[in-house]
Amino acid sequence: MKDNTTILTVITYGLLLGAVSVLLNDMREFDFNQFEKFQNWAKTANKSENWFTSKNAIEWSYYAISAGLFFWRGYLIYGFSYFLSILKEIEAGNYFSDKNIKYFNKIGNIFIWYTLNVLILRFLLALIGNATFDFFDELKSEFTFLIPVGLAFFILAEIFKRGKEVEEDNELTI
Amino acid sequence: MAIKVNLDVMLVRRGMKSKELAEIISITTANLSILKSGKAKAIRFSTLEAICKALDCQPSDVLEYIED
């Protein structure tokens, strides 16, 4: 079991590093290509125009939403980092620990919140860009599988909760 | 607690120490202490059988039902 957890830990580290590097690369590209373009536009924009109704606000909303998308991607990676904590607990022999139950619940929460928020942000982004947003098409897209995965983690947390009770009962059976 | 464990009484009657009994029935003294203190949630038939054999008694001598 220890060998398996070591392999899983190495794989998880690899995936996390990969995800972080992809996110950082996307952020770097976002800054260089798009933010610069926006800065140039801001320099020539009509400053006397009302802020809320201006194109300025719309542009800023676009960047705020894009930043939000980056935040949620980072949050998802943070959720994945809990796999390492779970593996650490398993390595220590604490299978049905309170910590593992808490981590499973947290991962479930993160996965579901990520999907819902990204869905909302994509909708807002489409709204600002005047693009069409098909809710069912978005639901079909690859990232929404995280909702059932999140629910699966909640179920796993419940199973582990019961497992902990059984383990305690077993320990007190002489 | 509805079920009372009278191991202490039986040990005194047989003049046996807890450590001695733990060794005979192959359980740790910590587990025997859990059993004696009434903190145990269940007892295996094999443990009960070993206790009865070691103390030369019946299960009813070790376990007693007390109505709440």
Side-chain angles (χ1 to χ4, degrees):
Chain A
M1 192 64 198
K2 198 170 185 292
D3 285 343
N4 284 344
T5 46
T6 310
I7 293 164
L8 285 169
T9 307
V10 171
I11 292 169
T12 313
Y13 264 119
L15 285 173
L16 278 174
L17 286 174
V20 169
S21 63
V22 168
L23 178 65
L24 290 175
N25 187 51
D26 285 354
M27 283 169 84
R28 190 179 60 86
E29 279 179 6
F30 175 79
D31 273 343
F32 280 116
N33 300 332
Q34 299 180 60
F35 199 71
E36 204 174 349
K37 191 179 141 203
F38 170 69
Q39 280 176 321
N40 289 335
W41 168 82
K43 279 175 197 164
T44 55
N46 182 8
K47 303 272 191 306
S48 60
E49 203 180 345
N50 186 1
W51 198 87
F52 289 106
T53 54
S54 70
K55 203 184 168 191
N56 199 349
I58 293 166
E59 286 280 336
W60 272 115
S61 308
Y62 170 75
Y63 288 105
I65 290 165
S66 300
L69 283 171
F70 284 131
F71 166 78
W72 285 108
R73 274 174 67 186
Y75 192 60
L76 184 69
I77 293 168
Y78 167 69
F80 277 118
S81 72
Y82 278 115
F83 284 117
L84 290 172
S85 309
I86 292 169
L87 287 168
K88 209 174 166 185
E89 279 288 298
I90 288 170
E91 209 171 1
N94 306 325
Y95 298 96
F96 300 104
S97 67
D98 280 330
K99 279 185 181 174
N100 273 352
I101 294 165
K102 192 176 81 184
Y103 294 148
F104 281 131
N105 275 323
K106 275 191 175 181
I107 294 171
N109 269 326
I110 289 171
F111 280 11
I112 288 171
W113 275 109
Y114 166 81
T115 312
L116 291 178
N117 283 288
V118 168
L119 210 62
I120 292 166
L121 289 175
R122 279 191 189 190
F123 167 73
L124 291 173
L125 210 56
L127 203 72
I128 289 164
N130 288 327
T132 51
F133 180 87
D134 191 329
F135 183 75
F136 292 104
D137 261 1
E138 286 293 331
L139 270 183
K140 274 184 221 160
S141 62
E142 74 286 347
F143 81 100
T144 46
F145 82 97
L146 285 172
I147 288 182
V149 172
L151 291 173
F153 274 105
F154 284 140
I155 294 166
L156 216 53
E158 286 304 311
I159 292 169
F160 267 62
K161 216 181 269 177
R162 182 75 190 114
K164 189 180 166 267
E165 284 168 13
V166 171
E167 193 182 53
E168 278 171 0
D169 278 356
N170 189 46
E171 276 167 8
L172 288 172
T173 299
I174 313 297
Chain B
M1 189 184 62
I3 301 288
K4 192 185 170 196
V5 182
N6 290 323
L7 254 180
D8 274 336
V9 180
M10 284 311 293
L11 281 170
V12 171
R13 276 188 198 163
R14 298 291 184 261
M16 200 185 276
K17 286 181 178 169
S18 294
K19 201 180 169 190
E20 220 176 313
L21 178 67
E23 271 171 26
I24 294 169
I25 63 174
S26 306
I27 65 167
T28 61
T29 46
N31 276 346
L32 189 65
S33 171
I34 290 170
L35 196 60
K36 276 163 64 185
S37 62
K39 284 178 188 166
K41 287 197 173 179
I43 182 165
R44 288 190 187 92
F45 278 132
S46 57
T47 312
L48 190 61
E49 189 186 331
I51 290 169
C52 290
K53 196 177 175 185
L55 297 172
D56 189 26
C57 64
Q58 290 299 311
S60 59
D61 296 325
V62 181
L63 303 172
E64 187 187 349
Y65 172 69
I66 297 166
E67 213 165 329
D68 285 325

